[in-house]
Amino acid sequence: MTIPVVDQKLEQTFKTYEKRFKALSDHKRLHIMYEITQANQLCVCDLTDKLHLPQSKLSYHLKILMDANLITKETRGTWSYYKLNTKEVNHILSEELCCLFRTNDGC
């Protein structure tokens, strides 16, 4: 019996992209990323108002985006502020889609 050789680095790369594409495959998460981009950074309270989502559902989507390394979080006092991880977004998206998540000076 032979044991198949698995390239662990390649497998990890596949898992990383799988997680990122899963995060990007949801309309609400794309809308969250768009709103964050337009404001440069947003607080959870601002996102709940803009998206008309309860905080519990919003937190679920934000966690998926953070786990995929597409957004970052900075905590100030009791509030969390979210910002797009532009390096990762630019790396993964086509030029056409990148323009959705860039300010006007980037396109």
Side-chain angles (χ1 to χ4, degrees):
M1 176 168 86
T2 60
I3 300 173
V5 177
V6 176
D7 183 340
Q8 294 299 323
K9 186 174 180 183
L10 183 61
E11 287 299 313
Q12 185 58 44
T13 299
F14 289 160
K15 286 180 183 186
T16 298
Y17 279 104
E18 179 182 23
K19 187 181 282 190
R20 288 180 184 159
F21 284 122
K22 180 182 177 183
L24 291 169
S25 70
D26 183 87
H27 177 83
K28 289 194 187 324
R29 291 191 284 272
L30 290 171
H31 194 178
I32 289 167
M33 290 174 63
Y34 176 79
E35 293 297 340
I36 290 171
T37 302
Q38 296 308 299
N40 190 35
Q41 68 176 3
L42 280 175
C43 174
V44 172
C45 59
D46 296 328
L47 283 166
T48 56
D49 291 343
K50 288 181 177 288
L51 296 162
H52 307 292
L53 283 174
Q55 188 173 352
S56 59
K57 286 190 180 200
L58 182 58
S59 293
Y60 167 77
H61 290 295
L62 289 168
K63 180 172 179 3
I64 290 172
L65 290 168
M66 284 187 36
D67 288 348
N69 202 25
L70 296 172
I71 62 172
T72 60
K73 176 174 88 169
E74 179 185 337
T75 303
R76 295 184 216 146
T78 58
W79 295 105
S80 294
Y81 291 83
Y82 294 88
K83 191 170 188 168
L84 203 68
N85 184 343
T86 53
K87 179 181 174 192
E88 293 300 325
V89 170
N90 289 342
H91 180 73
I92 199 168
L93 295 177
S94 69
E95 191 64 31
E96 179 183 350
L97 288 175
C98 280
C99 287
L100 288 175
F101 305 113
R102 286 187 184 155
T103 57
N104 289 337
D105 60 345
C107 281

